Coordinates of all heavy atoms in Angstrom, one line a residue:
M342 N 94.6 68.1 103.1 CA 95.0 68.9 104.2 C 94.0 69.7 105.0 O 93.2 70.5 104.2 CB 96.2 69.7 103.8 CG 97.1 70.3 104.8 SD 98.4 71.3 104.1 CE 99.7 70.2 104.2
S343 N 93.9 69.6 106.2 CA 92.7 70.3 106.9 C 93.2 71.7 107.1 O 94.3 72.0 107.0 CB 92.6 69.6 108.3 OG 93.6 69.9 109.1
R344 N 92.2 72.6 107.5 CA 92.5 74.0 107.7 C 93.5 74.2 108.7 O 94.5 74.9 108.6 CB 91.3 74.7 108.0 CG 91.5 76.2 108.2 CD 90.1 76.9 108.8 NE 90.2 78.4 108.8 CZ 90.9 79.0 109.8 NH1 91.6 78.2 110.7 NH2 90.9 80.2 109.8
D345 N 93.5 73.4 109.8 CA 94.4 73.5 110.9 C 95.8 73.1 110.6 O 96.8 73.8 110.8 CB 93.9 72.6 112.1 CG 92.8 73.4 112.8 OD1 92.4 74.7 112.7 OD2 92.0 72.7 113.5
E346 N 95.8 72.1 109.7 CA 97.2 71.6 109.2 C 97.8 72.6 108.3 O 99.0 73.0 108.4 CB 97.0 70.3 108.5 CG 96.7 69.0 109.4 CD 96.3 67.9 108.6 OE1 95.8 67.9 107.5 OE2 96.6 66.9 109.2
L347 N 96.9 73.1 107.5 CA 97.5 74.2 106.5 C 98.0 75.4 107.3 O 99.0 76.0 107.0 CB 96.3 74.6 105.6 CG 96.7 75.6 104.4 CD1 97.8 74.8 103.5 CD2 95.5 75.9 103.6
V348 N 97.2 75.9 108.3 CA 97.7 77.0 109.2 C 98.9 76.6 109.8 O 99.9 77.5 109.8 CB 96.5 77.4 110.1 CG1 97.1 78.4 111.1 CG2 95.5 78.1 109.3
A349 N 99.0 75.5 110.4 CA 100.3 75.1 111.1 C 101.4 75.2 110.1 O 102.6 75.5 110.3 CB 100.0 73.9 111.7
Y350 N 101.2 74.5 109.0 CA 102.2 74.6 107.9 C 102.8 75.8 107.6 O 104.1 76.1 107.6 CB 101.6 73.8 106.7 CG 102.6 73.6 105.6 CD1 103.5 72.5 105.5 CD2 102.8 74.5 104.4 CE1 104.4 72.3 104.5 CE2 103.6 74.3 103.5 CZ 104.5 73.2 103.5 OH 105.4 73.1 102.4
F351 N 101.9 76.8 107.3 CA 102.4 78.2 107.0 C 103.1 78.8 108.1 O 104.0 79.6 108.0 CB 101.3 79.1 106.4 CG 100.9 78.7 105.0 CD1 99.7 78.0 104.6 CD2 101.8 79.0 103.9 CE1 99.4 77.7 103.4 CE2 101.5 78.6 102.7 CZ 100.2 78.0 102.2
N352 N 102.5 78.7 109.4 CA 103.2 79.3 110.5 C 104.4 78.8 110.8 O 105.3 79.4 111.4 CB 102.2 79.1 111.7 CG 100.9 80.0 111.7 OD1 100.9 81.0 111.0 ND2 100.0 79.6 112.5
A353 N 104.7 77.5 110.4 CA 106.0 76.9 110.6 C 107.0 77.4 109.4 O 108.3 77.0 109.6 CB 106.0 75.4 110.5
G354 N 106.5 78.2 108.6 CA 107.5 78.6 107.5 C 107.8 77.7 106.5 O 109.0 77.7 106.0
G355 N 106.9 76.7 106.2 CA 107.2 75.7 105.3 C 107.3 76.0 103.9 O 106.9 77.2 103.5
D356 N 107.9 75.3 103.1 CA 108.1 75.6 101.7 C 106.8 75.2 101.0 O 106.3 74.1 100.9 CB 109.3 74.5 101.1 CG 109.5 74.8 99.6 OD1 109.0 75.7 99.0 OD2 110.2 74.0 99.0
I357 N 106.2 76.2 100.3 CA 104.9 76.1 99.6 C 105.0 75.5 98.2 O 104.0 75.3 97.5 CB 104.1 77.5 99.7 CG1 104.8 78.5 98.8 CG2 103.8 77.8 101.0 CD1 103.8 79.7 98.6
S358 N 106.2 75.3 97.6 CA 106.3 74.9 96.3 C 105.6 73.6 96.0 O 105.1 73.4 95.0 CB 107.9 74.8 95.9 OG 108.6 73.9 96.7
E359 N 105.7 72.7 97.0 CA 104.9 71.4 96.9 C 103.4 71.7 96.7 O 102.7 71.0 95.9 CB 105.2 70.5 98.1 CG 104.5 69.2 98.0 CD 104.8 68.2 99.1 OE1 105.8 68.4 99.7 OE2 103.9 67.4 99.3
L360 N 102.9 72.7 97.5 CA 101.5 73.0 97.4 C 101.0 73.6 96.0 O 100.0 73.3 95.5 CB 101.0 73.9 98.5 CG 101.2 73.4 99.9 CD1 100.8 74.5 100.9 CD2 100.0 72.2 100.0
L361 N 102.1 74.3 95.5 CA 101.7 75.1 94.3 C 102.0 74.2 93.1 O 101.6 74.4 92.0 CB 102.7 76.3 94.1 CG 102.5 77.4 95.3 CD1 103.4 78.5 95.1 CD2 101.1 77.9 95.2
R362 N 102.7 73.1 93.1 CA 103.0 72.2 91.9 C 101.9 71.7 91.3 O 101.8 71.9 90.0 CB 103.9 71.0 92.5 CG 104.3 70.2 91.5 CD 105.1 68.9 91.9 NE 104.1 68.2 92.6 CZ 104.4 67.6 94.0 NH1 105.6 67.6 94.4 NH2 103.4 66.9 94.5
D363 N 100.9 71.4 92.0 CA 99.6 70.9 91.3 C 98.5 72.0 91.2 O 97.4 71.6 90.8 CB 99.1 69.8 92.1 CG 100.0 68.6 92.2 OD1 100.8 68.2 91.2 OD2 100.0 67.9 93.3
A364 N 98.8 73.2 91.4 CA 97.8 74.2 91.4 C 97.6 74.6 89.9 O 98.3 74.5 89.0 CB 98.4 75.6 92.1
T365 N 96.3 75.0 89.6 CA 95.9 75.3 88.3 C 95.4 76.7 88.4 O 94.7 77.1 89.4 CB 94.8 74.4 87.8 OG1 93.6 74.4 88.7 CG2 95.3 72.9 87.7
P366 N 95.6 77.5 87.2 CA 95.3 78.9 87.2 C 93.6 78.9 87.3 O 92.9 78.0 86.8 CB 95.5 79.3 85.8 CG 96.6 78.4 85.3 CD 96.3 77.1 86.0
G367 N 93.2 79.8 88.1 CA 91.7 80.1 88.1 C 91.2 80.9 86.9 O 91.9 81.1 85.9
P368 N 89.9 81.1 86.8 CA 89.4 81.7 85.6 C 89.9 83.2 85.7 O 90.2 83.9 86.6 CB 87.8 81.8 86.0 CG 87.7 81.6 87.4 CD 89.0 80.8 87.9
D369 N 89.8 83.9 84.4 CA 90.2 85.2 84.2 C 89.1 86.1 84.7 O 87.9 85.9 84.3 CB 90.3 85.4 82.7 CG 90.8 86.9 82.5 OD1 91.1 87.6 83.5 OD2 91.1 87.1 81.2
L370 N 89.3 86.8 85.7 CA 88.3 87.7 86.3 C 88.3 89.1 85.5 O 87.4 90.0 86.0 CB 88.7 87.9 87.7 CG 88.7 86.7 88.6 CD1 89.2 87.0 90.1 CD2 87.3 86.0 88.6
G371 N 89.0 89.2 84.5 CA 88.9 90.5 83.8 C 89.8 91.6 84.3 O 90.4 91.3 85.4
S372 N 89.7 92.7 83.8 CA 90.5 93.8 84.3 C 90.0 94.3 85.6 O 88.8 94.2 85.9 CB 90.6 94.9 83.4 OG 89.3 95.5 83.0
A373 N 90.9 94.9 86.5 CA 90.4 95.5 87.7 C 89.6 96.7 87.5 O 89.8 97.6 86.6 CB 91.6 95.9 88.5
P374 N 88.5 96.9 88.3 CA 87.7 98.1 88.1 C 88.6 99.3 88.4 O 89.5 99.3 89.2 CB 86.5 97.9 89.0 CG 87.0 97.0 90.1 CD 88.0 96.1 89.4
S375 N 88.1 100.7 87.9 CA 88.7 101.9 88.2 C 88.5 102.1 89.7 O 87.4 101.8 90.1 CB 88.4 102.9 87.2 OG 86.9 103.2 87.5
P376 N 89.3 102.8 90.4 CA 89.0 103.3 91.7 C 87.7 104.1 91.9 O 87.1 103.9 92.8 CB 90.2 104.1 92.1 CG 91.4 103.6 91.2 CD 90.7 103.1 89.9
E377 N 87.3 104.8 90.8 CA 86.1 105.6 91.0 C 85.0 104.8 90.9 O 83.9 105.0 91.5 CB 86.1 106.5 89.7 CG 87.1 107.6 89.7 CD 88.6 107.2 89.1 OE1 88.6 106.2 88.4 OE2 89.6 107.8 89.6
A378 N 85.1 103.5 90.3 CA 84.0 102.5 90.4 C 83.6 101.9 91.5 O 82.7 101.1 91.8 CB 84.0 101.6 89.1
I379 N 84.6 102.0 92.5 CA 84.6 101.2 93.8 C 84.1 102.1 94.9 O 84.7 103.2 95.2 CB 85.9 100.7 94.2 CG1 86.4 99.6 93.0 CG2 85.9 99.9 95.5 CD1 87.8 99.2 93.2
P380 N 82.9 101.9 95.6 CA 82.4 102.8 96.5 C 83.3 102.8 97.8 O 83.3 103.9 98.4 CB 81.0 102.3 96.8 CG 81.0 101.0 96.4 CD 82.0 100.7 95.4
M381 N 83.8 101.8 98.2 CA 84.7 101.8 99.4 C 85.9 100.9 99.2 O 85.8 100.0 98.5 CB 84.0 101.1 100.7 CG 82.8 101.7 101.1 SD 83.2 103.0 102.3 CE 81.8 103.5 102.9
I382 N 87.1 101.5 99.6 CA 88.4 100.9 99.5 C 88.9 100.6 100.9 O 89.0 101.6 101.7 CB 89.3 101.7 98.6 CG1 88.8 102.0 97.2 CG2 90.7 101.1 98.6 CD1 89.5 102.9 96.3
V383 N 89.3 99.4 101.1 CA 89.9 99.1 102.5 C 91.3 99.5 102.4 O 92.1 99.2 101.5 CB 89.9 97.6 102.8 CG1 90.5 97.2 103.9 CG2 88.3 97.1 102.6
T384 N 91.7 100.2 103.5 CA 93.2 100.6 103.7 C 93.5 100.4 105.1 O 92.7 100.4 106.0 CB 93.3 102.1 103.2 OG1 94.6 102.4 103.3 CG2 92.5 103.0 104.2
G385 N 94.8 100.1 105.3 CA 95.4 99.9 106.6 C 95.9 101.1 107.3 O 96.7 102.0 106.5
V386 N 95.6 101.4 108.5 CA 96.3 102.4 109.2 C 96.8 102.0 110.6 O 95.9 101.2 111.3 CB 95.2 103.5 109.5 CG1 95.7 104.7 110.2 CG2 94.6 104.0 108.1
R387 N 97.9 102.3 111.0 CA 98.5 101.9 112.2 C 98.2 102.9 113.3 O 98.5 104.0 113.1 CB 100.0 101.7 112.0 CG 100.3 100.5 111.2 CD 101.9 100.5 111.1 NE 102.3 99.7 110.0 CZ 102.6 98.4 110.2 NH1 102.7 97.8 111.4 NH2 103.0 97.6 109.1
L388 N 97.4 102.4 114.3 CA 97.1 103.3 115.5 C 97.4 102.7 116.7 O 97.4 101.4 116.9 CB 95.5 103.5 115.4 CG 94.9 104.1 114.2 CD1 93.3 104.0 114.2 CD2 95.3 105.6 114.0
P389 N 97.9 103.6 117.7 CA 98.3 103.0 119.0 C 97.0 102.3 119.6 O 95.8 102.8 119.4 CB 98.6 104.3 119.7 CG 98.9 105.3 118.8 CD 98.0 105.1 117.7
S390 N 97.2 101.3 120.5 CA 96.1 100.6 121.0 C 95.3 101.3 121.8 O 94.0 101.2 121.8 CB 96.6 99.4 121.8 OG 97.5 99.8 122.7
D391 N 95.8 102.4 122.5 CA 94.9 103.3 123.4 C 93.9 104.1 122.4 O 92.8 104.2 122.8 CB 95.8 104.1 124.3 CG 96.6 105.1 123.6 OD1 97.3 104.8 122.5 OD2 96.7 106.3 124.0
V392 N 94.4 104.4 121.2 CA 93.5 105.2 120.3 C 92.4 104.4 119.9 O 91.4 104.7 119.8 CB 94.4 105.8 119.2 CG1 93.5 106.4 118.2 CG2 95.3 106.8 119.7
V393 N 92.7 103.1 119.6 CA 91.8 102.1 119.0 C 90.6 101.9 120.1 O 89.5 101.9 120.0 CB 92.3 100.9 118.7 CG1 91.3 99.8 118.4 CG2 93.2 101.1 117.5
R394 N 91.2 101.8 121.4 CA 90.1 101.6 122.5 C 89.3 102.9 122.7 O 88.1 102.7 122.9 CB 90.9 101.4 123.9 CG 91.3 100.0 124.0 CD 91.9 99.7 125.5 NE 93.1 100.6 125.8 CZ 94.3 100.2 125.6 NH1 94.6 99.1 124.9 NH2 95.3 101.0 125.9
K395 N 89.8 104.0 122.5 CA 89.0 105.2 122.5 C 87.9 105.3 121.5 O 86.8 105.7 121.5 CB 89.9 106.4 122.5 CG 90.6 106.6 123.9 CD 91.7 107.9 123.7 CE 92.4 108.0 124.8 NZ 93.5 109.1 124.8
L396 N 88.3 104.8 120.3 CA 87.5 104.8 119.0 C 86.4 103.9 119.4 O 85.3 104.1 119.0 CB 88.3 104.4 117.7 CG 89.2 105.5 117.1 CD1 90.0 104.8 116.1 CD2 88.3 106.5 116.6
D397 N 86.7 102.7 119.8 CA 85.6 101.8 120.1 C 84.7 102.2 121.1 O 83.5 102.0 121.0 CB 86.4 100.5 120.5 CG 87.0 99.6 119.4 OD1 86.8 100.0 118.2 OD2 87.9 98.8 119.6
H398 N 85.2 102.9 122.1 CA 84.3 103.5 123.1 C 83.4 104.5 122.5 O 82.2 104.5 122.8 CB 85.2 104.1 124.3 CG 84.3 104.7 125.4 ND1 83.6 103.8 126.2 CD2 84.2 106.0 125.7 CE1 83.0 104.8 127.1 NE2 83.3 106.0 126.7
L399 N 84.0 105.4 121.7 CA 83.2 106.4 121.1 C 82.1 105.8 120.1 O 80.9 106.3 120.0 CB 84.0 107.4 120.2 CG 84.8 108.5 121.0 CD1 85.8 109.2 120.1 CD2 83.9 109.4 121.7
A400 N 82.5 104.7 119.3 CA 81.6 104.2 118.5 C 80.5 103.5 119.1 O 79.4 103.4 118.7 CB 82.3 103.1 117.6
G401 N 80.7 102.9 120.4 CA 79.7 102.2 121.1 C 79.0 101.2 120.3 O 79.5 100.3 119.7
N402 N 77.6 101.4 120.2 CA 76.8 100.3 119.6 C 76.4 101.0 118.1 O 75.5 100.4 117.4 CB 75.6 100.1 120.3 CG 75.8 99.3 121.4 OD1 76.7 98.5 121.5 ND2 75.0 99.4 122.5
D403 N 77.1 101.9 117.8 CA 76.9 102.6 116.4 C 77.1 101.7 115.3 O 78.1 100.8 115.5 CB 77.7 103.9 116.2 CG 77.3 104.6 114.9 OD1 76.4 105.5 115.0 OD2 77.9 104.3 113.9
R404 N 76.2 101.6 114.4 CA 76.4 100.6 113.3 C 77.6 100.8 112.5 O 78.1 99.8 112.0 CB 75.1 100.7 112.5 CG 75.0 99.5 111.5 CD 73.6 99.7 110.7 NE 73.6 98.8 109.6 CZ 72.9 98.9 108.6 NH1 71.8 99.9 108.6 NH2 72.9 98.0 107.6
G405 N 78.0 102.0 112.4 CA 79.3 102.3 111.6 C 80.6 101.8 112.3 O 81.5 101.5 111.7
G406 N 80.4 101.6 113.5 CA 81.5 101.1 114.4 C 82.7 102.1 114.2 O 82.7 103.4 113.9
R407 N 83.9 101.5 114.6 CA 85.1 102.2 114.5 C 85.3 102.9 113.2 O 85.8 103.9 113.1 CB 86.3 101.1 114.9 CG 87.7 101.8 114.9 CD 88.7 100.7 114.9 NE 88.5 99.7 116.1 CZ 89.0 98.6 116.1 NH1 89.8 98.1 115.2 NH2 88.8 97.8 117.1
S408 N 85.2 101.9 112.1 CA 85.4 102.7 110.7 C 84.5 103.9 110.4 O 84.9 104.7 109.9 CB 85.0 101.7 109.6 OG 86.0 100.6 109.8
G409 N 83.2 103.9 111.0 CA 82.4 105.0 110.8 C 82.9 106.3 111.5 O 82.9 107.4 111.1
V410 N 83.5 106.1 112.6 CA 84.0 107.2 113.6 C 85.2 107.7 112.7 O 85.5 109.0 112.5 CB 84.4 106.8 115.0 CG1 85.3 107.9 115.5 CG2 83.4 106.4 115.7
I411 N 86.2 106.8 112.3 CA 87.2 107.4 111.4 C 86.9 107.9 110.1 O 87.4 109.1 109.7 CB 88.1 106.2 111.1 CG1 88.8 105.6 112.4 CG2 89.4 106.4 110.2 CD1 89.5 104.3 112.3
R412 N 85.9 107.5 109.4 CA 85.4 108.0 108.1 C 84.9 109.5 108.4 O 85.1 110.4 107.7 CB 84.3 107.2 107.5 CG 84.9 106.0 106.6 CD 83.9 105.5 105.9 NE 82.7 104.9 106.5 CZ 82.6 103.7 107.2 NH1 83.7 102.9 107.0 NH2 81.6 103.3 107.8
Q413 N 84.1 109.6 109.5 CA 83.6 111.0 109.9 C 84.8 111.9 110.1 O 84.6 113.2 109.7 CB 82.6 110.7 111.2 CG 82.0 112.1 111.5 CD 81.0 111.9 112.7 OE1 80.8 110.9 113.1 NE2 80.6 113.1 113.1
A414 N 85.6 111.6 110.9 CA 86.8 112.3 111.2 C 87.6 112.8 110.0 O 88.0 114.0 109.9 CB 87.7 111.6 112.2
I415 N 87.8 111.9 109.1 CA 88.5 112.2 107.8 C 87.6 113.1 107.0 O 88.2 114.1 106.5 CB 88.8 110.9 107.1 CG1 89.9 110.0 107.8 CG2 89.3 111.2 105.6 CD1 90.2 108.7 107.3
D416 N 86.3 112.9 106.9 CA 85.5 113.7 106.1 C 85.6 115.2 106.6 O 85.6 116.2 105.8 CB 84.1 113.3 106.1 CG 83.8 112.1 105.2 OD1 84.6 111.8 104.4 OD2 82.7 111.4 105.4
E417 N 85.4 115.3 108.0 CA 85.6 116.6 108.6 C 86.9 117.3 108.4 O 87.0 118.5 108.1 CB 85.2 116.5 110.1 CG 83.8 116.3 110.5 CD 83.6 115.9 111.9 OE1 84.5 116.1 112.8 OE2 82.4 115.5 112.2
F418 N 87.9 116.5 108.5 CA 89.3 117.1 108.2 C 89.4 117.6 106.8 O 89.8 118.7 106.5 CB 90.4 115.9 108.5 CG 91.8 116.4 108.2 CD1 92.5 117.2 109.2 CD2 92.4 116.2 107.0 CE1 93.9 117.4 108.9 CE2 93.5 116.6 106.5 CZ 94.4 117.3 107.6
L419 N 88.9 116.8 105.8 CA 89.1 117.1 104.4 C 88.2 118.3 104.1 O 88.5 119.2 103.3 CB 88.6 115.9 103.5 CG 89.6 114.8 103.5 CD1 89.0 113.6 102.7 CD2 91.0 115.1 103.0
E420 N 87.0 118.5 104.7 CA 86.1 119.8 104.6 C 86.9 120.9 105.0 O 86.9 122.0 104.4 CB 84.7 119.4 105.3 CG 83.8 120.4 104.9 CD 82.5 120.1 105.6 OE1 82.1 119.1 105.3 OE2 81.9 121.1 106.3
R421 N 87.4 120.7 106.2 CA 88.2 121.9 106.8 C 89.4 122.5 106.0 O 89.8 123.5 105.9 CB 88.7 121.7 108.3 CG 87.8 121.7 109.4 CD 88.3 121.8 110.7 NE 89.4 120.9 111.0 CZ 89.3 119.5 111.3 NH1 88.1 119.1 111.7 NH2 90.4 118.8 111.6
H422 N 90.1 121.5 105.3 CA 91.2 121.7 104.5 C 91.0 121.6 103.1 O 91.9 121.6 102.3 CB 92.4 120.7 104.9 CG 92.7 120.9 106.4 ND1 93.5 121.9 106.7 CD2 92.4 120.2 107.5 CE1 93.7 121.8 108.2 NE2 93.0 120.7 108.5
A423 N 89.8 121.8 102.5 CA 89.5 121.9 101.1 C 90.2 122.9 100.5 O 90.3 124.2 100.9 CB 87.9 122.0 101.0
G424 N 90.8 122.6 99.3 CA 91.6 123.6 98.5 C 93.0 123.8 98.9 O 93.8 124.4 98.3
E425 N 93.4 123.1 100.0 CA 94.8 123.3 100.4 C 95.7 122.3 99.8 O 95.1 121.1 99.4 CB 95.0 123.1 101.9 CG 94.3 124.1 102.8 CD 94.5 123.8 104.3 OE1 95.4 123.1 104.6 OE2 93.8 124.4 105.1
A426 N 96.9 122.7 99.3 CA 97.9 121.7 98.7 C 98.4 120.9 99.8 O 98.6 121.4 101.0 CB 98.8 122.4 97.9
A427 N 98.8 119.7 99.5 CA 99.4 118.8 100.4 C 100.8 119.0 100.7 O 101.5 119.5 99.7 CB 99.2 117.3 99.9

């Protein structure tokens, strides 16, 4: 099955049991690392499209991009509110 056929299949809401029938387990990757051992964790945040456009404009050609602007804002917020209970 080509990539395009696979995408079309899933987009059509097809039954994947046939695909999984011949699937074999992958190698054991071991236990997940502790969160402290991971330098960056990806998280999803819903933002209005106009806010995203403003973030992109602020980020410009900055290497950190939109994520860098958001990380900086969060760092500044956490610093201002250090020691406060949630």
Side-chain angles (χ1 to χ4, degrees):
M342 198 179 254
S343 73
R344 181 185 185 283
D345 290 337
E346 289 171 326
L347 189 60
V348 169
Y350 182 81
F351 283 109
N352 284 342
D356 179 10
I357 65 167
S358 60
E359 184 180 331
L360 293 172
L361 297 177
R362 184 185 61 225
D363 297 325
T365 58
D369 182 5
L370 300 176
S372 60
S375 69
E377 296 80 24
I379 303 170
M381 293 276 190
I382 297 175
V383 176
T384 186
V386 178
R387 294 177 193 261
L388 299 171
S390 57
D391 63 320
V392 171
V393 173
R394 282 191 295 275
K395 290 175 185 176
L396 285 169
D397 288 342
H398 179 74
L399 282 172
N402 292 330
D403 186 85
R404 189 170 171 203
R407 181 190 306 160
S408 293
V410 173
I411 294 171
R412 280 192 300 273
Q413 181 180 353
I415 291 172
D416 287 343
E417 291 172 10
F418 177 87
L419 291 174
E420 190 174 309
R421 281 195 318 269
H422 296 280
E425 293 180 18

